[in-house]
């Protein structure tokens, strides 16, 4: 348990005597848990607000006063253990391993018991049948104890504190199914149904494991972004001493020395130096930004070329990068109510089924007085209505859809993302690295003389700047050997050759101000006189035009939200035929635009790649990133496409919509089956054996329906048919009447 002094030290001072404490609550699992936690903490003296983030399993408590509220004890009082966030952040989360082990044990038990059941159903003699029943019980009992504890411990913790949660009815259902089967086995009955209880446990654990994996990925994205902050920085003291301080000790006004290759530790402004910064974190653009005295810089951006002296303008916890982490955490909380459909259905289904079985038992006892007959019918009701088909309805379609998308080069990181993707009506693209490859190319190379192109290429080979690399790629042959090239950060390259000074770079610098305007980009000059002007544009990602056309055919609205300049964004939008676009946006701006779209009732798919896109990827209804994206972008996205082409977006959308249709069909099949099976079983018209066969058949039908996704046409095939139809259509009234 955390000591009050430790909690105070770990709390953030909000000013005015108010503090914020973040506690990890690993036992929180559902929406009901949120209400219990927030209500329990809200009753403490001094607590003003408590907000639970179910995805991160973390609660933020705002409180006031001299005494620290006993938050840990309050959470224990409502059945939840807690600890300070960060106290165990370096430990490997054991929950996933525990779930996987429980899933494997339940799967092993279910398969073996099912094989034994087949032998019994096939007409084994009484001695063999009874032996198989006891073997099934011997297999089922340890599986029930080991795998079922995932649900039993949670249910007991809730009941012990006078609460309830979704694991309570699940636990009752599994134990009752096992108990009835054991009773029948002890009594020498003809049939036992251990397979039903362990199979139900197995399918529920599938949903629980997938859910935990989704939450763990969300936490990984935030942790990866936070790791971009350097642990410390060199600070220049007033007496001239240099001291390396932890980043948390850097205060506004301190002078920070930054070498080339260092990341900016805190927000600040440049006091001395000239350099270029990799601002992909802030803008998503690959082209470096030139900074000089007076230029503002954000925490997390990378200093590329020259040393800088900064004046800190904010503490690390108030910096740009901390704001991005907060945006991602807030966005996670906004979509944290999602639960597996199988869990939700089982939570409602179990008490209904068991109530029906109990009422059936009472009814047959009153009607016939035969307790064995009443128990047999009740068992049939319990087995025939087992929600195995309902539990398979979603996971099987998700598995088939994920397999299909994998063959198309798309990795599905979250099965729930398929459901969200099927509902989208708007696609928002980042520009650089998403619609384009982030690699500029020279588009007017044929208009430049071979001599000037070779000279420019020779100069450009001395730099790693993206524009320089594009010009270097255009040069043919060895070029001018022996050039002593000097790079001026933020300006360009220069070298002396044959008694002349050659410069390649910004027009205002290369031409010494002679007739240069802001609209002129990169030029080659000799002694200040223009030799050649280079026009560059970013390269569109392969299949970008085809993907945009397919998405329009699917009826979705398209937008571009980018941190690049208005001219660059407008150019790409015009080339692709996307009417709605916005430029010069920071991460918070993108999140705000996505929030505005959500307020309009839009379901948005965000497609982006850069570090700056991570908050928007998390905030969107569903998200996608290319495989070459930054680690943070890939971790934050629900889908990752591995191929260069952008056709992955319409491919995924079509597959998700088809999967959504199959899920609805599966639910209709499962519910329809139970609506028919329940009254038939209550009427005593089926034996437990027939009930078990019917239950298995319903699961097989659901699986077979899910496998239809494999035979659906691919996007390429659909696109080819669409193109062929357009090609077959008459192009003029004359052709139409011919």
């Amino acid at each position: 348990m955390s000591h009050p002094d430790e909690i105070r030290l770990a709390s953030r001072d909000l000013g005015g005597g108010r503090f914020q404490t973040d506690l990890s609550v690993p036992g929180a699992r559902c929406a009901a848990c949120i209400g219990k936690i927030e209500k329990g903490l809200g009753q403490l003296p001094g607590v003003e607000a408590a907000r639970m983030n179910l995805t991160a399993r973390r609660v933020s408590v705002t409180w006031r006063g001299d005494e620290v509220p006993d938050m840990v004890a309050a959470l224990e009082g409502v059945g939840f253990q807690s600890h300070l966030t960060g106290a165990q952040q370096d430990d490997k989360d054991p929950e996933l391993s525990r779930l996987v082990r429980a899933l494997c044990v339940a799967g092993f038990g279910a398969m073996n018991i099912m094989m034994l059941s087949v032998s019994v159903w096939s007409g084994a003699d009484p001695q063999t049948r009874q032996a198989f029943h006891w073997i099934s019980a011997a297999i089922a009992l340890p599986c029930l104890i080991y795998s079922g504890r995932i649900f039993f411990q949670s249910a007991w913790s809730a009941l012990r504190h006078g609460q309830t949660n979704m694991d309570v009815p699940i636990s009752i259902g599994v134990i009752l199914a096992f108990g009835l089967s054991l009773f029948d086995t002890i009594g020498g009955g003809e049939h036992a149904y251990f397979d039903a209880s362990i199979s139900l446990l197995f399918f529920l654990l599938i949903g629980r494991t997938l859910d935990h994996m989704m939450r763990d990925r969300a936490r990984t994205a935030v942790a990866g972004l936070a790791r971009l902050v350097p642990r410390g920085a060199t600070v220049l003291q007033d007496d001239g001493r240099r001291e390396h301080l932890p980043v948390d000790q850097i205060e506004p006004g301190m002078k920070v020395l930054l070498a080339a290759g260092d990341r900016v530790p805190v927000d600040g402004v440049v006091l001395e130096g000239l350099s270029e910064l990799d601002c992909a974190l802030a803008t998503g653009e690959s082209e470096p930004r030139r900074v000089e005295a007076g230029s503002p810089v954000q925490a997390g951006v990378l200093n590329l070329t020259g040393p800088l002296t900064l004046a800190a303008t904010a503490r690390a916890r108030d910096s740009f990068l901390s704001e991005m982490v907060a945006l991602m955490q807030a966005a996670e909380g906004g979509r944290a109510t999602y639960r597996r459909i199988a869990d939700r259905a089982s939570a409602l289904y179990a008490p209904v089924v068991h109530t029906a079985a109990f009422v059936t038992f009472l009814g047959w006892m009153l009607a016939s007085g035969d307790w064995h007959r009443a128990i047999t019918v009740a068992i049939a009701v319990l087995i025939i209505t087992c929600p195995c088909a309902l539990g398979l309805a979603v996971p099987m379609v998700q598995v088939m859809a994920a397999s299909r998308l994998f063959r198309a080069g798309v990795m599905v990181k979250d099965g729930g993302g398929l459901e969200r993707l099927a509902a989208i009506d708007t696609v928002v693209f980042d520009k650089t690295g998403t619609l384009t490859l982030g690699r500029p190319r020279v588009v007017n190379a044929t208009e430049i003389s071979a001599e000037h192109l070779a000279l420019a290429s020779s100069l450009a080979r001395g730099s790693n700047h993206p524009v320089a690399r594009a010009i270097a790629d255009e040069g043919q042959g060895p070029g001018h050997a022996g050039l002593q090239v000097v790079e001026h950060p933020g300006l360009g390259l220069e070298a002396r050759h044959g008694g002349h000074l050659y410069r390649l770079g910004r027009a205002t610098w290369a031409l010494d101000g002679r007739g240069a305007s802001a609209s002129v980009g990169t030029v080659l000059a000799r002694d200040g006189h223009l030799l050649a002007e280079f026009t560059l544009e970013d390269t569109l990602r392969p299949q970008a035009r085809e993907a945009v056309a397919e998405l329009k055919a699917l009826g979705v609205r398209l937008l571009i939200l980018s941190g690049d300049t208005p001219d660059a964004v407008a150019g790409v939008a015009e080339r692709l035929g996307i009417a709605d676009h916005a430029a010069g946006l920071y991460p918070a701006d993108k999140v705000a635009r996505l929030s505005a779209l959500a307020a309009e009732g839009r379901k948005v798919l965000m497609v982006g790649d850069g570090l700056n896109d991570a908050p928007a990827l998390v905030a969107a209804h569903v998200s996608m990133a290319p495989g070459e994206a930054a680690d943070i972008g890939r971790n934050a996205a629900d889908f990752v496409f591995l191929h260069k082409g952008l056709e992955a977006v319409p491919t995924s959308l079509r597959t998700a919509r088809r999967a959504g249709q199959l899920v609805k069909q599966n639910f209709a099949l499962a519910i329809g089956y139970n609506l028919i099976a329940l009254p038939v079983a209550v009427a005593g018209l089926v034996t437990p054996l027939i009930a078990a066969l019917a239950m298995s058949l319903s699961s097989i039908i659901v699986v077979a329906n899910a496998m239809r996704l494999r035979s659906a046409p691919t996007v390429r095939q659909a696109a080819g048919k669409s193109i062929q139809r357009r090609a077959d259509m008459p192009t003029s009234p004359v052709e139409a009447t011919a």
Side-chain angles (χ1 to χ4, degrees):
M1 182 181 295
S2 300
H3 192 273
D5 291 339
E6 183 182 357
I7 292 178
R8 180 178 287 278
L9 289 173
S11 300
R12 175 179 296 184
D13 189 349
L14 302 178
R18 298 170 66 246
F19 299 87
Q20 178 179 315
T21 304
D22 292 334
L23 294 173
S24 177
V25 190
R29 299 185 181 279
C30 61
C33 298
I34 296 177
K36 296 184 183 71
I37 291 170
E38 293 180 349
K39 182 179 179 180
L41 291 171
Q43 294 174 348
L44 290 175
V47 172
E48 295 183 350
R51 180 178 179 274
M52 182 67 197
N53 182 331
L54 193 59
T55 298
R57 289 177 179 163
R58 182 185 61 253
V59 62
S60 295
V61 185
T62 304
W63 54 277
R64 159 190 313 273
D66 296 330
E67 294 187 6
V68 179
D70 198 350
M71 294 172 276
V72 175
L75 288 171
E76 287 182 350
V78 293
F80 297 94
Q81 298 294 320
S82 63
H83 58 80
L84 287 169
T85 57
Q88 299 177 0
Q89 64 183 7
D90 295 330
D91 296 342
K92 185 176 180 180
D93 182 9
E95 181 69 11
L96 180 60
S97 298
R98 192 165 74 110
L99 285 169
V100 170
R101 288 195 299 268
L103 178 63
C104 292
V105 170
F108 172 82
M111 288 186 294
N112 283 277
I113 295 172
M114 190 66 73
M115 286 191 296
L116 293 171
S117 299
V118 169
S119 299
V120 173
W121 297 342
S122 300
D125 60 78
Q127 292 78 13
T128 302
R129 180 189 66 217
Q130 191 68 9
F132 281 3
H133 284 172
W134 281 111
I135 294 173
S136 297
I139 295 173
L141 182 59
C143 292
L144 188 75
I145 295 173
Y146 186 84
S147 299
R149 62 179 178 158
I150 301 291
F151 305 98
F152 302 156
Q153 290 173 351
S154 174
W156 173 244
S157 177
L159 293 173
R160 188 162 52 93
H161 293 89
Q163 308 286 337
T164 185
N165 60 22
M166 61 176 291
D167 291 335
V168 172
I170 289 175
S171 300
I172 293 174
V174 172
I175 292 173
L176 183 58
F178 177 84
L180 290 172
S181 298
L182 186 61
F183 175 81
D184 203 27
T185 299
I186 293 174
E190 187 176 354
H191 299 289
Y193 311 100
F194 297 104
D195 51 354
S197 60
I198 304 304
S199 296
L200 177 60
L201 205 59
F202 175 63
F203 293 127
L204 291 174
L205 282 169
I206 291 176
R208 183 65 58 86
T209 303
L210 292 176
D211 178 77
H212 183 85
M213 293 172 64
M214 179 269 290
R215 297 181 193 280
D216 188 62
R217 274 192 291 270
R219 292 192 295 270
T220 300
V222 176
L225 185 60
R227 282 195 294 269
L228 290 176
V229 180
R231 294 182 179 271
T234 302
V235 175
L236 183 64
Q237 303 290 359
D238 294 337
D239 58 3
R241 290 184 301 107
R242 299 188 178 192
E243 185 178 2
H244 189 82
L245 295 179
V247 68
D248 291 338
Q249 297 182 18
I250 298 176
E251 298 289 334
M254 287 185 174
K255 293 182 180 180
V256 179
L257 302 179
L258 204 66
D262 290 345
R263 286 197 179 271
V264 178
V266 295
D267 292 353
V269 62
V270 177
L271 295 178
E272 299 177 10
L274 180 68
S275 184
E276 290 187 330
L277 303 180
D278 179 355
C279 296
L281 177 67
T283 66
E285 301 311 310
S286 59
E287 184 171 351
R289 177 168 69 90
R290 179 175 180 267
V291 294
E292 56 188 9
S295 300
V297 294
Q298 289 96 11
V301 302
L302 182 65
N303 182 29
L304 294 176
T305 54
L308 294 173
T309 301
L310 312 177
T313 58
R315 296 180 177 87
R317 65 189 183 192
D318 301 321
S319 68
F320 170 80
L321 196 59
S322 296
E323 179 187 358
M324 290 185 64
V325 173
L327 286 170
M328 292 181 67
Q329 291 173 342
E332 289 172 14
R335 71 175 185 182
T337 57
Y338 175 76
R339 291 294 302 168
R340 291 280 172 229
I341 293 180
D343 282 351
R344 292 199 300 263
S346 297
L348 175 65
Y349 215 86
V352 173
V353 169
H354 299 139
T355 300
F358 182 69
V359 171
T360 300
F361 170 76
L362 293 179
W364 275 91
M365 279 293 295
L366 292 174
S368 65
D370 185 349
W371 65 269
H372 188 273
R373 173 64 172 165
I375 290 177
T376 301
V377 175
I379 291 174
V381 171
L382 183 69
I383 298 301
I384 204 168
T385 55
C386 179
C388 291
L390 202 59
L392 281 170
V394 178
M396 280 308 304
V397 175
Q398 289 179 348
V399 168
M400 298 307 302
S403 174
R404 180 175 178 78
L405 288 177
F406 177 76
R407 294 196 301 271
V410 181
M411 302 295 294
V412 182
K413 295 179 58 184
D414 173 20
L418 285 166
E419 295 178 16
R420 298 193 296 275
L421 181 60
I424 69 107
D425 54 20
T426 303
V427 178
V428 172
F429 289 103
D430 177 46
K431 183 185 76 67
T432 303
T434 305
L435 291 174
T436 66
L437 294 175
R439 296 196 299 267
R441 64 184 182 92
V442 180
V443 296
N444 66 333
T446 57
E447 302 172 8
I448 300 172
S449 68
E451 178 185 358
H452 292 159
L453 194 60
L455 178 59
S457 176
S458 298
L459 287 168
R461 289 169 189 167
S463 174
N464 287 323
H465 194 286
V467 173
R469 291 199 300 268
I471 295 175
D473 291 341
E474 296 294 334
Q476 301 293 329
H480 294 70
L483 287 179
Q484 298 297 319
V485 179
V486 178
E487 182 170 8
H488 297 273
L491 299 175
L493 305 156
E494 72 174 12
R496 290 194 175 273
H497 178 68
H500 297 285
L501 178 65
Y502 291 91
R503 285 180 172 177
L504 176 68
R506 295 179 182 271
T508 52
W509 170 72
L511 300 177
D512 290 329
R514 297 186 181 96
S517 65
S519 62
V520 178
T522 302
V523 301
L524 174 66
R526 180 176 59 197
D527 299 328
H529 297 283
L530 179 66
L531 294 180
E533 179 180 346
F534 294 87
T535 302
L536 296 102
E537 68 178 16
D538 209 346
T539 305
L540 288 178
R541 184 175 286 275
Q543 291 94 41
R545 290 187 177 90
E546 293 82 353
V548 168
E550 283 293 316
L551 290 170
K552 288 181 178 179
L554 290 171
V556 298
R557 176 184 174 188
L558 302 179
L559 297 90
I560 301 176
L561 300 181
S562 175
D564 205 353
T565 62
D567 290 343
V569 175
V572 170
E574 183 179 357
R575 291 160 65 188
L576 293 176
I578 300 177
D580 295 337
H581 52 85
L585 301 180
Y586 281 90
D589 300 325
K590 293 184 179 181
V591 173
R593 294 294 292 269
L594 292 177
S595 298
L597 289 169
E600 296 174 5
R602 292 279 181 176
K603 304 293 186 183
V604 179
L605 164 64
M606 176 69 197
V607 187
D609 78 311
L611 298 171
N612 70 306
D613 294 320
L617 290 170
V618 178
H621 190 66
V622 67
S623 55
M624 183 177 293
E628 65 269 22
D631 290 343
I632 303 303
R634 293 198 305 271
N635 287 332
D638 299 306
F639 299 84
V640 176
F641 58 93
L642 306 179
H643 297 165
K644 290 289 185 182
L646 202 62
E647 65 180 3
V649 180
T651 297
S652 302
L653 179 56
R654 288 183 183 275
T655 302
R657 288 183 174 180
R658 177 61 174 162
Q661 294 172 355
L662 291 178
V663 166
K664 293 177 182 177
Q665 292 172 9
N666 277 353
F667 273 117
L669 289 170
I671 294 172
Y673 155 79
N674 282 284
L675 289 176
I676 296 173
L678 180 59
V680 172
V682 170
L685 299 178
V686 296
T687 64
L689 173 61
I690 300 301
L693 290 173
M695 182 269 290
S696 301
L697 181 61
S698 68
S699 299
I700 293 173
I701 292 174
V702 166
V703 172
N705 190 54
M707 293 183 68
R708 293 172 56 207
L709 191 62
R710 299 180 62 182
S711 61
T714 65
V715 172
R716 287 184 180 273
Q717 292 169 340
K721 292 179 181 178
S722 177
I723 293 172
Q724 183 62 43
R725 285 196 298 269
R726 290 195 293 268
D728 293 340
M729 292 176 63
T731 58
S732 69
V734 175
E735 294 180 17
T737 57

